[in-house]
Amino acid sequence: MITKDSIETAYSFLHQKRNVYIHSSLDWQMDDIEYAIASYADNMSPELYEAISGGRADFLRDHKHFREDITRAVEQLENML
């Protein structure tokens, strides 16, 4: 079961990190955000992760698709609120 609290918490965290990430020009900062989000995804409710990932096991964990993934995650979570 996905709780409203888990959606709100994930949305707040990912939204804030996404805003910093998309405006950052510092590679180390972007890498740190990618690592933090991947760690968060590893500990996220499996049901919530499944709902926002579309079944992709590497969602929010793949460097090449991170910008698109975090944008999609924030949009998905916003729609769930």
Side-chain angles (χ1 to χ4, degrees):
M1 177 178 191
I2 302 171
T3 66
K4 183 172 174 87
D5 287 344
S6 67
I7 296 167
E8 288 173 347
T9 300
Y11 175 78
S12 296
F13 183 68
L14 295 178
H15 184 268
Q16 186 267 339
K17 295 295 183 193
R18 180 191 158 275
N19 286 345
V20 174
Y21 186 87
I22 64 173
H23 294 101
S24 180
S25 60
L26 304 171
D27 288 338
W28 66 266
Q29 185 178 44
M30 294 168 72
D31 289 343
D32 284 355
I33 291 170
E34 287 184 32
Y35 178 77
I37 297 298
S39 294
Y40 186 84
D42 288 342
N43 295 298
M44 182 184 285
S45 152
E47 294 87 5
L48 182 55
Y49 183 78
E50 179 67 28
I52 65 172
S53 71
R56 272 193 36 228
D58 66 348
F59 187 72
L60 295 173
R61 297 178 177 107
D62 180 11
H63 174 73
K64 292 194 310 187
H65 300 284
F66 185 80
R67 184 178 294 265
E68 295 86 15
D69 287 353
I70 194 154
T71 298
R72 177 189 161 144
V74 169
E75 290 171 356
Q76 293 283 99
L77 290 163
E78 188 172 353
N79 289 334
M80 295 170 80
L81 290 174

